[in-house]
Amino acid sequence: KNQVEQSPQSLIILEGKNCTLQCNYTVSPFSNLRWYKQDTGRGPVSLTIMTFSENTKSNGRYTATLDADTKQSSLHITASQLSDSASYICVVSAQAGTALIFGKGTTLSVSS
Amino acid sequence: KAGVTQTPRYLIKTRGQQVTLSCSPISGHRSVSWYQQTPGQGLQFLFEYFSETQRNKGNFPGRFSGRQFSNSRSEMNVSTLELGDSALYLCASSLGHQNTGELFFGEGSRLTVL
């Protein structure tokens, strides 16, 4: 069964600290993996999209990694800011014509 | 460049009623996909429309339906509302199909069923 598991479920860090969110998937065949940031009450916003051949992709202070062999991805946030407080959702795409598979997200709270 | 627009943003209905939600995609985008988001289940795929044709459908009952017009605007309808239909309904548009193209989400329509 195609699944996407994210950990931890929630995380609290101090402003300025780094953190890493995890995403494990069992989707096959694999097409691409995406990370989205969703602020409370808003729609998700794309952070990165990675295909099979990409190991690392950055978007400002956000860096995503992908290990297609172990079917794991991580999202690293550097020098966190209060505005990073949000839900981070990992989404995996299988072959064209099939539905996207969403993880349930990691809720990050950055405190001052 | 205008983003994805969803209307209405908030609505309250009672059990048994029906509701229609609207989504206007980014200009030039041909794919519109719909998702239901609840605290317990997270985001779940409802359906995708591409050039007025339903391309894919998630695992939801037939009470959930949708359509896409020639200008790519899309509507989704939920009939015979149940309490469990209370959720944030998000639509997303993309240039290509949802599997390959970057998705741009609207702010959502929050439905409360009493």
Side-chain angles (χ1 to χ4, degrees):
Chain A
K1 180 181 178 183
N2 288 331
Q3 283 186 314
V4 176
E5 300 285 344
Q6 290 188 245
S7 61
Q9 187 174 357
S10 62
L11 181 63
I12 301 173
I13 62 172
L14 288 174
E15 187 179 15
K17 297 296 186 182
N18 303 334
C19 68
T20 300
L21 314 181
Q22 300 290 342
C23 174
N24 296 337
Y25 61 94
T26 59
V27 177
S28 181
F30 172 85
S31 176
N32 60 71
L33 183 145
R34 310 145 186 238
W35 283 93
Y36 287 87
K37 177 189 178 189
Q38 185 176 22
D39 293 321
T40 302
R42 310 291 298 273
V45 174
S46 178
L47 294 175
T48 64
I49 301 176
M50 288 185 292
T51 59
F52 182 89
S53 60
E54 295 174 296
N55 300 119
T56 303
K57 205 156 195 180
S58 292
N59 179 356
R61 294 179 296 102
Y62 302 99
T63 299
T65 65
L66 173 64
D67 186 334
D69 291 331
T70 61
K71 298 188 176 181
Q72 296 179 324
S73 176
S74 64
L75 180 69
H76 186 74
I77 304 174
T78 304
S80 61
Q81 299 176 358
L82 296 178
S83 59
D84 293 329
S85 295
S87 178
Y88 291 84
I89 304 169
C90 175
V91 185
V92 180
S93 173
Q95 62 191 17
T98 61
L100 295 176
I101 301 151
F102 293 81
K104 293 191 176 182
T106 293
T107 301
L108 173 65
S109 298
V110 181
S111 60
S112 56
Chain B
K1 183 172 173 180
V4 177
T5 303
Q6 290 189 247
T7 57
R9 289 292 313 279
Y10 303 91
L11 65 167
I12 300 174
K13 294 285 186 178
T14 57
R15 280 180 298 173
Q17 287 187 312
Q18 73 165 11
V19 65
T20 299
L21 309 178
S22 179
C23 174
S24 294
I26 291 172
S27 178
H29 285 193
R30 297 166 64 188
S31 170
V32 173
S33 47
W34 288 89
Y35 306 87
Q36 182 194 67
Q37 187 175 34
T38 57
Q41 296 298 320
L43 272 158
Q44 293 183 284
F45 170 73
L46 280 159
F47 27 66
E48 179 190 14
Y49 286 88
F50 187 87
S51 295
E52 301 180 65
T53 301
Q54 187 179 88
R55 188 169 179 271
N56 205 354
K57 192 176 190 303
N59 189 25
F60 279 82
R63 301 184 297 107
F64 292 80
S65 63
R67 58 179 175 169
Q68 187 179 33
F69 303 97
S70 58
N71 62 358
S72 292
R73 189 178 70 87
S74 178
E75 289 181 347
M76 69 162 282
N77 184 78
V78 188
S79 62
T80 319
L81 284 167
E82 301 177 358
L83 295 179
D85 296 334
S86 294
L88 179 67
Y89 290 88
L90 291 160
C91 87
S93 75
S94 60
L95 273 172
H97 297 299
Q98 63 160 346
N99 297 84
T100 55
E102 181 175 0
L103 295 181
F104 295 85
F105 284 87
E107 301 289 44
S109 293
R110 182 164 295 282
L111 170 65
T112 301
V113 181
L114 303 176

